Amino acid sequence: MKDNKFTILILINVVVYFAAQIFIGQSEYDIYYWFGIQKNLFLDGHEFYRLFTYSFAHGDIVHLIMNMIALYYISDPVIRFTDEKFSFIIYAIAALVSGLGIVFFSSEITVGSSGAIYGLFGVIIYYAIKQYRHGYNEMVVSLLPVIIINIIISFAPDVSLTGHLFGLLAGLIGAFIYDKRKRQQYW
C-alpha cells in the first residue's frame, strides 16, 4: 500500500464503514440517518458534525470500494503535481465545500467521500489543462477516460451531482491558488 496520508484516509473510511455496520446497523437507511448530510438535519437540527461525518460514511460496500479505488489511484498524481500536505488539505476543503453545497443547493441526504475525491479530480484537471497548453498531453490522455467515466456516474440516480460539482470546483480553485502561490515563490 502507498506510504502517504491517503492510505490513512482509506483505512479510516474502511474502519468507519465496518464499525457502522456492526454498531449502527446493516441498513443503508441507518447509515444515512446517523451520518448523512442534508439541509434539515444540518441547519434545523443543528447537527453540524454531519459536515465531517458524511464524507467518511458510505451507503454500501460497493460505494465504499468504488470511492477507495478512486482515492487510491488519484492521490499519487495529485501529490506529484503539488505536495502531500496540499493534497491532504485540498481533500479536506473539498469535502467541506461539497457538504456545504449539498446543504444549501440540494434536498438530498448524502454520504460518501466522492465530493472530496472530486476535489482531487479538480487538481488533476487543472494540471492536465496546464500540461496540454504547454504541449504535453500525457496526463490528459491517461486520465481523461477516468474523469469522463466519473462525470457520467455523477448523473446516475442516487448519486450527488451537487456534491461532485462543488468538490470539483473546490479542487480547481485550490489548484489555481496553489499554482499561483508556487509561481510567486520563484519570482
Side-chain angles (χ1 to χ4, degrees):
M1 199 169 250
K2 297 178 187 184
D3 185 27
N4 64 41
K5 285 181 172 54
F6 291 99
T7 302
I8 296 167
L9 279 174
I10 290 169
L11 291 173
I12 291 170
N13 277 279
V14 170
V15 167
V16 167
Y17 176 78
F18 286 107
Q21 294 298 306
I22 293 166
F23 297 110
I24 306 268
Q26 300 283 326
S27 162
E28 185 177 326
Y29 172 79
D30 292 334
I31 303 302
Y32 281 85
Y33 176 78
W34 287 100
F35 298 109
I37 191 163
Q38 191 242 8
K39 185 176 195 162
N40 293 340
L41 299 170
F42 183 77
L43 294 176
D44 299 339
H46 305 289
E47 297 177 3
F48 304 117
Y49 67 89
R50 291 175 182 275
L51 193 56
F52 176 74
T53 60
Y54 91 98
S55 66
F56 289 101
H58 290 82
D60 59 38
I61 193 72
V62 173
H63 187 203
L64 173 71
I65 290 170
M66 296 302 288
N67 277 342
M68 295 308 100
I69 288 171
L71 182 56
Y72 180 82
Y73 283 106
I74 200 74
S75 62
D76 270 354
V78 173
I79 291 170
R80 216 172 29 244
F81 280 116
T82 59
D83 61 49
E84 190 174 54
K85 181 180 177 184
F86 170 79
S87 302
F88 193 73
I89 290 170
I90 202 66
Y91 179 91
I93 290 171
L96 291 173
V97 170
S98 175
L100 290 171
I102 292 163
V103 166
F104 292 108
F105 297 101
S106 177
S107 60
E108 60 200 9
I109 185 166
T110 302
V111 294
S113 57
S114 58
I117 293 167
Y118 269 73
L120 299 179
F121 282 150
V123 173
I124 292 296
I125 291 170
Y126 175 84
Y127 282 101
I129 291 169
K130 189 173 178 179
Q131 274 190 349
Y132 184 75
R133 288 178 49 210
H134 290 89
Y136 307 109
N137 62 3
E138 179 182 323
M139 180 62 70
V140 174
V141 170
S142 65
L143 288 176
L144 194 58
V146 173
I147 292 169
I148 290 171
I149 289 168
N150 278 280
I151 289 172
I152 291 168
I153 290 170
S154 295
F155 291 97
D158 299 327
V159 174
S160 178
L161 177 61
T162 304
H164 288 184
L165 290 176
F166 275 87
L168 184 67
L169 185 61
L172 286 167
I173 292 170
F176 173 78
I177 292 169
Y178 176 86
D179 191 49
K180 185 175 179 178
R181 292 183 79 192
K182 191 174 178 182
R183 282 183 282 147
Q184 287 175 345
Q185 290 175 355
Y186 293 111
W187 294 103

